[in-house]
């Protein structure tokens, strides 16, 4: 009977989330946390890991794992919407705000676009202005526990107001650009921007 109990809870919570306007159109609520990515989970070696900021900056920057962990840390709570139609609410993330990382470089004029770079060549494009929001961060903790490797540990980007493919797992840096360059899923048919509230799922939608 526990199963019916769980289903009942989920439906109730989904109704509530809808009523509160927290569920974008076409999304359903999940209480679990699905694992979704292309390719395999990369191995993490703190001695070899680095984080690189490149492109349209006065001077490129490289941080070691130790240096990245020493940056000021913040906790934010946000909702997570996957284009495959599940949403997970109230995720508690801890990490380093994008704005904090950006302080380490001097962007050139016209650097309005970002290509986020992750392990194994995964990329995601996001306008710089979107990454400056106060709840966008590179996270290494979720709900009080270290981010599991399958969820992007040791470090993932979290961009709550866009579909979750923008929230690159296994992030290793980003490139500032003066022209938009499409990321991995965006080149494969997903929307260049990906606003879940406008259901910008696929390019042309
Ligand atoms: N590096 C990388 N990050 C990725 C992906 C991926 O394929 N590779 N998939 C994205 C998609 S489509 C989603 S829904 C979320 C899923 O995150 P989760 O597995 O932690 O739920 O990760 C995003 N980040
Ligand atoms: Mo997704």
């Amino acid at each position: 009977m526990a199963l019916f109990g769980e289903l009942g809870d989920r439906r109730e919570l989904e109704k509530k989330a809808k009523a509160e306007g927290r569920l974008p159109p076409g999304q359903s609520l999940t209480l679990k946390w699905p694992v979704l990515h292309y390719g395999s989970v990369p191995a993490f070696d703190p001695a070899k890991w680095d984080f690189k900021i490149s492109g349209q900056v006065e001077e490129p920057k490289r941080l070691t794992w130790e240096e990245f962990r020493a940056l000021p840390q913040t906790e934010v709570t946000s909702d997570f919407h996957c284009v495959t139609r599940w949403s997970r609410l109230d995720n508690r993330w801890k990490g380093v705000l994008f704005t904090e990382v950006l302080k380490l470089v001097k962007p050139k004029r016209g650097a309005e676009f970002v290509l986020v770079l992750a392990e194994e060549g995964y990329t995601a494009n996001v306008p710089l202005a979107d990454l400056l929001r106060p709840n966008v961060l590179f996270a290494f903790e979720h709900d009080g526990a270290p981010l599991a490797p399958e969820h992007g540990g040791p470090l993932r980007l979290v961009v709550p107001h866009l579909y979750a493919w923008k929230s690159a797992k296994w992030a290793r840096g980003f490139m500032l650009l003066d022209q938009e360059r499409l990321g991995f899923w965006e080149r494969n048919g997903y929307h260049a921007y990906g606003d879940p509230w406008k259901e910008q799922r696929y390019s042309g939608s």
Side-chain angles (χ1 to χ4, degrees):
M1 293 294 106
L3 179 62
F4 290 111
E6 257 173 52
L7 284 174
D9 283 352
R10 199 201 63 81
R11 287 213 189 101
E12 284 309 305
L13 289 166
E14 186 172 275
K15 244 194 254 168
K16 188 166 161 274
K18 267 189 193 148
E20 288 172 350
R22 290 180 66 186
L23 212 54
Q27 295 295 107
S28 68
L29 186 73
T30 178
L31 302 181
K32 299 182 183 139
W33 190 12
V35 171
L36 214 76
H37 56 258
Y38 180 81
S40 52
V41 176
F44 169 51
D45 179 348
K48 290 202 182 119
W49 189 96
D50 64 4
F51 190 96
K52 286 182 182 156
I53 311 172
S54 62
Q56 298 290 312
V57 290
E58 292 301 335
E59 233 183 288
K61 178 88 186 167
R62 176 182 177 269
L63 292 105
T64 63
W65 176 244
E66 217 171 275
E67 288 166 340
F68 197 96
R69 291 297 304 230
L71 296 174
Q73 299 176 11
T74 308
E75 237 187 78
V76 292
T77 299
S78 61
D79 300 344
F80 197 69
H81 310 293
C82 172
V83 70
T84 64
R85 299 183 182 272
W86 54 267
S87 292
R88 191 180 192 282
L89 305 187
D90 295 321
N91 298 277
R92 209 152 41 80
W93 302 103
K94 187 176 180 184
V96 183
L97 292 179
F98 184 88
T99 50
E100 200 59 59
V101 181
L102 193 66
K103 284 180 189 166
L104 303 172
V105 293
K106 193 158 177 272
K108 289 190 180 168
R109 263 206 303 149
E112 289 172 24
F113 305 92
V114 176
L115 192 66
V116 181
L117 310 172
E119 298 277 358
E120 294 178 10
Y122 186 85
T123 52
N125 59 283
V126 186
L128 179 59
D130 286 77
L131 296 172
L132 302 181
R133 294 198 186 192
N135 63 355
V136 172
L137 81 170
F138 289 100
F140 41 68
E141 266 185 37
H142 175 270
D143 285 351
L147 192 57
E150 65 269 28
H151 285 299
L155 188 76
R156 84 176 299 165
L157 180 66
V158 180
V159 188
H161 67 286
L162 299 177
Y163 279 125
W165 81 76
K166 302 288 188 182
S167 293
K169 306 202 261 193
W170 314 297
R172 289 287 299 273
F174 58 88
M175 204 186 261
L176 285 173
L177 301 164
D178 54 14
Q179 271 186 327
E180 183 170 66
R181 209 184 286 176
L182 295 181
F184 175 77
W185 288 117
E186 293 86 354
R187 281 198 305 270
N188 285 288
Y190 281 4
H191 197 279
Y193 184 63
D195 181 346
W197 299 95
K198 294 184 180 159
E199 285 209 78
Q200 293 175 338
R201 297 177 191 275
Y202 311 107
S203 67
S205 72

